[in-house]
Amino acid sequence: MTHPTLDFRSDTATRPTAGMRSAMAAAEVGDDVLGEDPTTNRLQERIAEILGKEAAIFAPSGTMTNLIGVRLHCGPGDEMICEAGCHILNYEQAGYAQLSGVAVRAVEGHFGVLRLHQVEGLIRPDNPHQVRTCAVCLENTHNRGGGKIQPYEDVAAICHWAHEHGLRTHLDGARLFNAAVATGIEPARWAAHFDTVSVCFSKGLGAPVGSALAGSRELIAEAVRHRKVLGGGMRQSGILAAAALYALEHNVDRLSLDHQCARQLARGIAEIEELALVSDQIDTNILFFHVPERLGTAAAFCDRLRGLGLLVLPTAPQTIRAVTHLDVDEEDADRAVEILKSACRGFTACPKD
Ligand SMILES: *Cc1c(COP(=O)(O)O)cnc(C)c1O
């Protein structure tokens, strides 16, 4: 029997399940640009409630909800403080600069984790030579940090400091539900520290499309305008919102299984002599490991793995990322480890039978 290819590249790889598809097919819809899509409205109310905010909007991507979040807080000539490895800075084409004229002050965290003492003192003086410091953006969990959870006390301290100094705060919570499930700290408690919070439905929650931005009624009313000019006004978006509602109902608690699966994968990788985990403390569903140069570059090693039925993502010349999600289980993690072992042995055994 030939096994299907295992896709550990990203938690965006999930396909909608039969239950999710039937919820989508049954969705009641209307024109959301006119505010008349009942399912989208229901999703927006539900996610606002979960995040403890007055309002929320549904948007096609996390890139868009982050862009809107930053735009609500900063304009041309303003600066936001963020972590150097964050998604907003590294994987969103600097949309804040291209489209909003915003500058960034990047601070390197430890596996993406920022501490208060690192940002204190970074607020620029009110002086026409300088940009104006307007916001702090945090990412939780931190993607490039290896799914690292920002410690709750540090988040609270940084946001408290920001607000005391008149700065706004935005959370890139693409994987906030992973942080919530792993810590037992409710999403609303994390979100309480931020003026705006972006969450993704298309990552670990398993929906095909979509993100939401939550905040005060006033900010979200403004966000609706930004979403429209960015081309994110959708019509019968209830079809997509139904998937997100289904995901919130069925796929949040089970994120703990993804975390368990990631730890299992990490334990397997730790036992492979040639490979080295970047961190052996796996907080959630993402891990990174190094391949030595004698096994080739990460890209070449990933090509070899692909031939053996395993997809993982090269992220640096000798670094590879693996992510667990709804469509892989512990048996798949075991098989991934076997494939990694045989790739290291140089094709001496082919695990595809
Ligand atoms: C995936 C992701 C986003 C949003 O990505 P889209 O593909 O635009 O939805 C934002 N932040 C982080 C940390 C992410 O991992």
Side-chain angles (χ1 to χ4, degrees), residues 61-63 66 87 92 139 143 172 174-175 200 203:
S61 69
T63 297
N66 279 333
H87 198 277
E92 300 178 12
E139 181 175 315
N143 184 337
D172 177 355
R175 297 187 181 80
C200 288
K203 301 282 167 76

Side-chain angles (χ1 to χ4, degrees), residues 50 177 180-181 187 204-205 247-256:
I50 289 171
F177 288 100
V181 166
L205 297 188
L248 288 171
E249 182 108 351
H250 295 90
N251 295 342
V252 173
D253 293 340
R254 64 151 306 285
L255 289 170
S256 61

